[in-house]
PDB file of all heavy atoms in Angstrom:
ATOM      1  N   SER L 135      18.225  17.628  -0.671  1.00 94.00           N
ATOM      2  CA  SER L 135      17.184  18.197   0.176  1.00 94.00           C
ATOM      3  C   SER L 135      17.709  19.513   0.840  1.00 94.00           C
ATOM      4  O   SER L 135      18.910  19.724   0.933  1.00 94.00           O
ATOM      5  CB  SER L 135      16.760  17.227   1.260  1.00 94.00           C
ATOM      6  OG  SER L 135      17.852  16.873   2.096  1.00 94.00           O
ATOM      7  N   ARG L 136      16.751  20.322   1.246  1.00 95.00           N
ATOM      8  CA  ARG L 136      17.089  21.621   1.878  1.00 95.00           C
ATOM      9  C   ARG L 136      16.330  21.683   3.198  1.00 95.00           C
ATOM     10  O   ARG L 136      15.124  21.408   3.236  1.00 95.00           O
ATOM     11  CB  ARG L 136      16.645  22.745   0.956  1.00 95.00           C
ATOM     12  CG  ARG L 136      16.907  24.118   1.511  1.00 95.00           C
ATOM     13  CD  ARG L 136      16.370  25.174   0.604  1.00 95.00           C
ATOM     14  NE  ARG L 136      16.525  26.490   1.188  1.00 95.00           N
ATOM     15  CZ  ARG L 136      17.163  27.482   0.600  1.00 95.00           C
ATOM     16  NH1 ARG L 136      17.689  27.329  -0.561  1.00 95.00           N
ATOM     17  NH2 ARG L 136      17.269  28.626   1.234  1.00 95.00           N
ATOM     18  N   GLN L 137      17.002  22.099   4.268  1.00 96.00           N
ATOM     19  CA  GLN L 137      16.397  22.278   5.578  1.00 96.00           C
ATOM     20  C   GLN L 137      16.028  23.737   5.815  1.00 96.00           C
ATOM     21  O   GLN L 137      16.828  24.604   5.529  1.00 96.00           O
ATOM     22  CB  GLN L 137      17.371  21.801   6.679  1.00 96.00           C
ATOM     23  CG  GLN L 137      17.790  20.368   6.563  1.00 96.00           C
ATOM     24  CD  GLN L 137      16.648  19.424   6.901  1.00 96.00           C
ATOM     25  OE1 GLN L 137      15.863  19.645   7.776  1.00 96.00           O
ATOM     26  NE2 GLN L 137      16.564  18.327   6.130  1.00 96.00           N
ATOM     27  N   SER L 138      14.812  23.918   6.338  1.00 96.00           N
ATOM     28  CA  SER L 138      14.353  25.285   6.643  1.00 96.00           C
ATOM     29  C   SER L 138      13.626  25.258   7.970  1.00 96.00           C
ATOM     30  O   SER L 138      13.178  24.194   8.432  1.00 96.00           O
ATOM     31  CB  SER L 138      13.376  25.783   5.555  1.00 96.00           C
ATOM     32  OG  SER L 138      14.049  25.862   4.309  1.00 96.00           O
ATOM     33  N   THR L 139      13.483  26.414   8.584  1.00 97.00           N
ATOM     34  CA  THR L 139      12.793  26.481   9.865  1.00 97.00           C
ATOM     35  C   THR L 139      11.606  27.448   9.754  1.00 97.00           C
ATOM     36  O   THR L 139      11.598  28.399   8.966  1.00 97.00           O
ATOM     37  CB  THR L 139      13.707  26.943  10.998  1.00 97.00           C
ATOM     38  OG1 THR L 139      14.268  28.224  10.672  1.00 97.00           O
ATOM     39  CG2 THR L 139      14.854  25.990  11.234  1.00 97.00           C
ATOM     40  N   LEU L 140      10.628  27.227  10.581  1.00 97.00           N
ATOM     41  CA  LEU L 140       9.453  28.069  10.684  1.00 97.00           C
ATOM     42  C   LEU L 140       9.466  28.620  12.104  1.00 97.00           C
ATOM     43  O   LEU L 140       9.555  27.883  13.078  1.00 97.00           O
ATOM     44  CB  LEU L 140       8.185  27.226  10.491  1.00 97.00           C
ATOM     45  CG  LEU L 140       6.878  27.938  10.390  1.00 97.00           C
ATOM     46  CD1 LEU L 140       6.842  28.796   9.132  1.00 97.00           C
ATOM     47  CD2 LEU L 140       5.735  26.930  10.357  1.00 97.00           C
ATOM     48  N   ALA L 141       9.461  29.970  12.200  1.00 97.00           N
ATOM     49  CA  ALA L 141       9.520  30.607  13.505  1.00 97.00           C
ATOM     50  C   ALA L 141       8.384  31.619  13.656  1.00 97.00           C
ATOM     51  O   ALA L 141       7.858  32.145  12.688  1.00 97.00           O
ATOM     52  CB  ALA L 141      10.883  31.348  13.672  1.00 97.00           C
ATOM     53  N   VAL L 142       8.042  31.872  14.933  1.00 97.00           N
ATOM     54  CA  VAL L 142       6.963  32.804  15.266  1.00 97.00           C
ATOM     55  C   VAL L 142       7.453  33.834  16.280  1.00 97.00           C
ATOM     56  O   VAL L 142       8.152  33.492  17.204  1.00 97.00           O
ATOM     57  CB  VAL L 142       5.742  32.015  15.842  1.00 97.00           C
ATOM     58  CG1 VAL L 142       4.699  32.955  16.416  1.00 97.00           C
ATOM     59  CG2 VAL L 142       5.151  31.108  14.818  1.00 97.00           C
ATOM     60  N   SER L 143       7.021  35.073  16.011  1.00 97.00           N
ATOM     61  CA  SER L 143       7.255  36.161  17.002  1.00 97.00           C
ATOM     62  C   SER L 143       5.911  36.760  17.315  1.00 97.00           C
ATOM     63  O   SER L 143       5.074  36.948  16.420  1.00 97.00           O
ATOM     64  CB  SER L 143       8.178  37.232  16.416  1.00 97.00           C
ATOM     65  OG  SER L 143       9.445  36.713  16.156  1.00 97.00           O
ATOM     66  N   LEU L 144       5.685  37.066  18.595  1.00 95.00           N
ATOM     67  CA  LEU L 144       4.432  37.697  18.939  1.00 95.00           C
ATOM     68  C   LEU L 144       4.616  38.643  20.114  1.00 95.00           C
ATOM     69  O   LEU L 144       5.458  38.415  21.012  1.00 95.00           O
ATOM     70  CB  LEU L 144       3.344  36.667  19.272  1.00 95.00           C
ATOM     71  CG  LEU L 144       3.547  35.772  20.468  1.00 95.00           C
ATOM     72  CD1 LEU L 144       2.264  35.663  21.289  1.00 95.00           C
ATOM     73  CD2 LEU L 144       3.910  34.386  19.981  1.00 95.00           C
ATOM     74  N   PRO L 145       3.897  39.761  20.118  1.00 94.00           N
ATOM     75  CA  PRO L 145       4.015  40.721  21.192  1.00 94.00           C
ATOM     76  C   PRO L 145       3.311  40.179  22.464  1.00 94.00           C
ATOM     77  O   PRO L 145       2.446  39.326  22.373  1.00 94.00           O
ATOM     78  CB  PRO L 145       3.251  41.941  20.659  1.00 94.00           C
ATOM     79  CG  PRO L 145       2.266  41.383  19.703  1.00 94.00           C
ATOM     80  CD  PRO L 145       2.898  40.173  19.124  1.00 94.00           C
ATOM     81  N   GLY L 146       3.762  40.689  23.591  1.00 93.00           N
ATOM     82  CA  GLY L 146       3.093  40.265  24.851  1.00 93.00           C
ATOM     83  C   GLY L 146       1.736  40.929  24.988  1.00 93.00           C
ATOM     84  O   GLY L 146       1.511  42.025  24.476  1.00 93.00           O
ATOM     85  N   ASN L 147       0.810  40.247  25.643  1.00 91.00           N
ATOM     86  CA  ASN L 147      -0.527  40.755  25.854  1.00 91.00           C
ATOM     87  C   ASN L 147      -0.988  40.349  27.253  1.00 91.00           C
ATOM     88  O   ASN L 147      -1.553  39.259  27.426  1.00 91.00           O
ATOM     89  CB  ASN L 147      -1.465  40.251  24.816  1.00 91.00           C
ATOM     90  CG  ASN L 147      -2.887  40.781  24.942  1.00 91.00           C
ATOM     91  OD1 ASN L 147      -3.206  41.445  25.933  1.00 91.00           O
ATOM     92  ND2 ASN L 147      -3.697  40.486  23.960  1.00 91.00           N
ATOM     93  N   ASN L 148      -0.692  41.173  28.275  1.00 90.00           N
ATOM     94  CA  ASN L 148      -1.060  40.804  29.633  1.00 90.00           C
ATOM     95  C   ASN L 148      -2.546  40.950  29.900  1.00 90.00           C
ATOM     96  O   ASN L 148      -3.056  40.665  30.998  1.00 90.00           O
ATOM     97  CB  ASN L 148      -0.214  41.587  30.655  1.00 90.00           C
ATOM     98  CG  ASN L 148      -0.416  43.080  30.535  1.00 90.00           C
ATOM     99  OD1 ASN L 148      -1.267  43.564  29.795  1.00 90.00           O
ATOM    100  ND2 ASN L 148       0.416  43.840  31.270  1.00 90.00           N
ATOM    101  N   GLN L 149      -3.309  41.375  28.909  1.00 89.00           N
ATOM    102  CA  GLN L 149      -4.755  41.481  29.036  1.00 89.00           C
ATOM    103  C   GLN L 149      -5.477  40.322  28.311  1.00 89.00           C
ATOM    104  O   GLN L 149      -6.719  40.322  28.218  1.00 89.00           O
ATOM    105  CB  GLN L 149      -5.259  42.824  28.421  1.00 89.00           C
ATOM    106  CG  GLN L 149      -4.643  44.036  29.053  1.00 89.00           C
ATOM    107  CD  GLN L 149      -5.060  44.169  30.527  1.00 89.00           C
ATOM    108  OE1 GLN L 149      -6.217  44.016  30.857  1.00 89.00           O
ATOM    109  NE2 GLN L 149      -4.097  44.473  31.376  1.00 89.00           N
ATOM    110  N   ALA L 150      -4.747  39.324  27.849  1.00 90.00           N
ATOM    111  CA  ALA L 150      -5.363  38.247  27.071  1.00 90.00           C
ATOM    112  C   ALA L 150      -6.278  37.429  27.970  1.00 90.00           C
ATOM    113  O   ALA L 150      -6.024  37.213  29.129  1.00 90.00           O
ATOM    114  CB  ALA L 150      -4.278  37.350  26.518  1.00 90.00           C
ATOM    115  N   VAL L 151      -7.373  37.021  27.381  1.00 93.00           N
ATOM    116  CA  VAL L 151      -8.372  36.217  28.089  1.00 93.00           C
ATOM    117  C   VAL L 151      -7.823  34.767  28.147  1.00 93.00           C
ATOM    118  O   VAL L 151      -7.246  34.275  27.184  1.00 93.00           O
ATOM    119  CB  VAL L 151      -9.739  36.228  27.295  1.00 93.00           C
ATOM    120  CG1 VAL L 151     -10.723  35.235  27.911  1.00 93.00           C
ATOM    121  CG2 VAL L 151     -10.289  37.651  27.305  1.00 93.00           C
ATOM    122  N   ALA L 152      -8.035  34.081  29.255  1.00 94.00           N
ATOM    123  CA  ALA L 152      -7.572  32.694  29.437  1.00 94.00           C
ATOM    124  C   ALA L 152      -8.196  31.819  28.372  1.00 94.00           C
ATOM    125  O   ALA L 152      -9.335  31.973  27.962  1.00 94.00           O
ATOM    126  CB  ALA L 152      -7.985  32.215  30.822  1.00 94.00           C
ATOM    127  N   GLY L 153      -7.401  30.844  27.932  1.00 93.00           N
ATOM    128  CA  GLY L 153      -7.880  29.864  26.927  1.00 93.00           C
ATOM    129  C   GLY L 153      -6.712  29.389  26.045  1.00 93.00           C
ATOM    130  O   GLY L 153      -5.605  29.886  26.134  1.00 93.00           O
ATOM    131  N   GLN L 154      -7.030  28.462  25.207  1.00 94.00           N
ATOM    132  CA  GLN L 154      -6.033  27.862  24.279  1.00 94.00           C
ATOM    133  C   GLN L 154      -6.175  28.611  22.936  1.00 94.00           C
ATOM    134  O   GLN L 154      -7.210  28.591  22.318  1.00 94.00           O
ATOM    135  CB  GLN L 154      -6.328  26.399  24.110  1.00 94.00           C
ATOM    136  CG  GLN L 154      -5.290  25.639  23.341  1.00 94.00           C
ATOM    137  CD  GLN L 154      -4.025  25.395  24.136  1.00 94.00           C
ATOM    138  OE1 GLN L 154      -4.084  25.302  25.385  1.00 94.00           O
ATOM    139  NE2 GLN L 154      -2.913  25.255  23.488  1.00 94.00           N
ATOM    140  N   TYR L 155      -5.101  29.260  22.500  1.00 95.00           N
ATOM    141  CA  TYR L 155      -5.101  30.004  21.242  1.00 95.00           C
ATOM    142  C   TYR L 155      -4.362  29.145  20.193  1.00 95.00           C
ATOM    143  O   TYR L 155      -3.303  28.628  20.492  1.00 95.00           O
ATOM    144  CB  TYR L 155      -4.381  31.347  21.406  1.00 95.00           C
ATOM    145  CG  TYR L 155      -5.135  32.325  22.278  1.00 95.00           C
ATOM    146  CD1 TYR L 155      -5.174  32.168  23.646  1.00 95.00           C
ATOM    147  CD2 TYR L 155      -5.798  33.409  21.706  1.00 95.00           C
ATOM    148  CE1 TYR L 155      -5.878  33.070  24.430  1.00 95.00           C
ATOM    149  CE2 TYR L 155      -6.506  34.330  22.490  1.00 95.00           C
ATOM    150  CZ  TYR L 155      -6.529  34.137  23.830  1.00 95.00           C
ATOM    151  OH  TYR L 155      -7.223  35.047  24.631  1.00 95.00           O
ATOM    152  N   ARG L 156      -4.942  29.097  19.003  1.00 95.00           N
ATOM    153  CA  ARG L 156      -4.392  28.155  17.992  1.00 95.00           C
ATOM    154  C   ARG L 156      -4.437  28.747  16.570  1.00 95.00           C
ATOM    155  O   ARG L 156      -5.226  29.605  16.272  1.00 95.00           O
ATOM    156  CB  ARG L 156      -5.173  26.864  17.950  1.00 95.00           C
ATOM    157  CG  ARG L 156      -5.183  26.082  19.212  1.00 95.00           C
ATOM    158  CD  ARG L 156      -6.054  24.844  19.048  1.00 95.00           C
ATOM    159  NE  ARG L 156      -6.165  24.163  20.285  1.00 95.00           N
ATOM    160  CZ  ARG L 156      -5.508  23.047  20.590  1.00 95.00           C
ATOM    161  NH1 ARG L 156      -4.703  22.514  19.723  1.00 95.00           N
ATOM    162  NH2 ARG L 156      -5.653  22.476  21.783  1.00 95.00           N
ATOM    163  N   ASP L 157      -3.562  28.200  15.757  1.00 96.00           N
ATOM    164  CA  ASP L 157      -3.559  28.408  14.309  1.00 96.00           C
ATOM    165  C   ASP L 157      -2.908  27.208  13.673  1.00 96.00           C
ATOM    166  O   ASP L 157      -2.154  26.473  14.316  1.00 96.00           O
ATOM    167  CB  ASP L 157      -2.808  29.710  13.953  1.00 96.00           C
ATOM    168  CG  ASP L 157      -2.996  30.100  12.480  1.00 96.00           C
ATOM    169  OD1 ASP L 157      -3.892  29.536  11.792  1.00 96.00           O
ATOM    170  OD2 ASP L 157      -2.250  30.954  11.995  1.00 96.00           O
ATOM    171  N   THR L 158      -3.142  26.985  12.403  1.00 96.00           N
ATOM    172  CA  THR L 158      -2.508  25.903  11.665  1.00 96.00           C
ATOM    173  C   THR L 158      -1.794  26.529  10.478  1.00 96.00           C
ATOM    174  O   THR L 158      -2.388  27.330   9.736  1.00 96.00           O
ATOM    175  CB  THR L 158      -3.521  24.880  11.169  1.00 96.00           C
ATOM    176  OG1 THR L 158      -4.194  24.314  12.284  1.00 96.00           O
ATOM    177  CG2 THR L 158      -2.826  23.774  10.362  1.00 96.00           C
ATOM    178  N   VAL L 159      -0.520  26.175  10.278  1.00 97.00           N
ATOM    179  CA  VAL L 159       0.286  26.694   9.179  1.00 97.00           C
ATOM    180  C   VAL L 159       0.536  25.512   8.243  1.00 97.00           C
ATOM    181  O   VAL L 159       1.010  24.469   8.655  1.00 97.00           O
ATOM    182  CB  VAL L 159       1.600  27.334   9.660  1.00 97.00           C
ATOM    183  CG1 VAL L 159       2.439  27.746   8.470  1.00 97.00           C
ATOM    184  CG2 VAL L 159       1.303  28.499  10.587  1.00 97.00           C
ATOM    185  N   THR L 160       0.246  25.744   6.974  1.00 97.00           N
ATOM    186  CA  THR L 160       0.432  24.659   5.953  1.00 97.00           C
ATOM    187  C   THR L 160       1.577  25.068   5.037  1.00 97.00           C
ATOM    188  O   THR L 160       1.624  26.186   4.561  1.00 97.00           O
ATOM    189  CB  THR L 160      -0.864  24.483   5.129  1.00 97.00           C
ATOM    190  OG1 THR L 160      -1.953  24.175   6.042  1.00 97.00           O
ATOM    191  CG2 THR L 160      -0.720  23.358   4.137  1.00 97.00           C
TER     192      THR L 160
END
Side-chain angles (χ1 to χ4, degrees):
S135 62
R136 178 184 177 124
Q137 299 291 320
S138 298
T139 58
L140 188 66
V142 170
S143 296
L144 63 136
N147 182 351
N148 59 9
Q149 301 296 315
V151 173
Q154 189 76 27
Y155 291 75
R156 298 177 186 258
D157 189 14
T158 300
V159 176
T160 302

